[in-house]
Amino acid sequence: MAGRGFLISRLIGIYNADGGLRGELAYFFGHLVGVAECALCDITHSPVRKKKEWKEFEVRLEDDLGHEFVLLHRNETNDAQKKASAGREPCVLIESDDGSLSMIADWNDLEAAKGDVQVFERILRSKLLMY
């Protein structure tokens, strides 16, 4: 697609969880008892905060490839993002410079990382080579 002028504006990770105090608590307790799962949460966060490795990955992605990575909860997405993720959260979307959205990594890709930022980075970089 690069030959046709396609430029990646940013990457958007969508959690399989709602944001806000209520959503965060629901996910935290649901995760504790095994009824709530989000492979993207496992990659980006430790039990209490964003992982240092994730922050370093965000910097590398911006420095190496010029891509911003935005993280959103399900209830923070706009209509276009909801349509692109189509209930398949967690996932990662690509937003192009014309505003169009497509999914680059689905929950299977995120599960394959097993919570490891470096494994996720390898998966994502390999997929980005197709764009």
Side-chain angles (χ1 to χ4, degrees), residues 2 4 16 23 30 40 49 69 92-93 102 106 129:
R4 297 188 336 210
N16 186 30
L40 183 57
R49 68 177 60 98
F69 201 111
V92 178
L93 304 176
S102 60
D106 64 14
L129 290 174

Side-chain angles (χ1 to χ4, degrees), residues 2-3 21 27 37 56 65 90 94-95 105 108-110 117 122-123:
L21 182 59
Y27 178 77
E37 291 296 325
E56 292 167 350
L65 303 175
I94 289 181
E95 182 177 54
N108 285 307
D109 298 313
L110 300 174
V117 176
R122 285 193 296 274
I123 292 168

Side-chain angles (χ1 to χ4, degrees), residues 37-111:
E37 291 296 325
C38 176
L40 183 57
C41 297
D42 295 341
I43 295 167
T44 63
H45 283 76
S46 69
V48 292
R49 68 177 60 98
K50 194 181 278 190
K51 292 178 180 177
K52 176 184 177 214
E53 295 87 357
W54 179 261
K55 292 176 186 177
E56 292 167 350
F57 159 71
E58 289 177 314
V59 170
R60 280 192 306 276
L61 192 65
E62 181 77 35
D63 289 349
D64 295 352
L65 303 175
H67 301 323
E68 174 188 21
F69 201 111
V70 176
L71 295 166
L72 299 173
H73 295 90
R74 282 184 310 230
N75 64 333
E76 298 166 339
T77 58
N78 63 33
D79 289 341
Q81 293 159 347
K82 281 182 181 72
K83 185 176 179 182
S85 63
R88 296 177 288 168
E89 301 87 5
C91 63
V92 178
L93 304 176
I94 289 181
E95 182 177 54
S96 69
D97 57 340
D98 68 0
S100 62
L101 294 163
S102 60
M103 190 175 296
I104 188 171
D106 64 14
W107 66 271
N108 285 307
D109 298 313
L110 300 174
E111 283 284 330

Side-chain angles (χ1 to χ4, degrees), residues 1-3 6 8 11 61 65 67 94 104 121-131:
M1 286 196 162
F6 175 85
I8 298 171
L11 299 166
L61 192 65
L65 303 175
H67 301 323
I94 289 181
I104 188 171
E121 182 173 0
R122 285 193 296 274
I123 292 168
L124 185 65
R125 282 180 180 264
S126 70
K127 289 179 171 288
L128 285 168
L129 290 174
M130 296 184 291
Y131 287 88

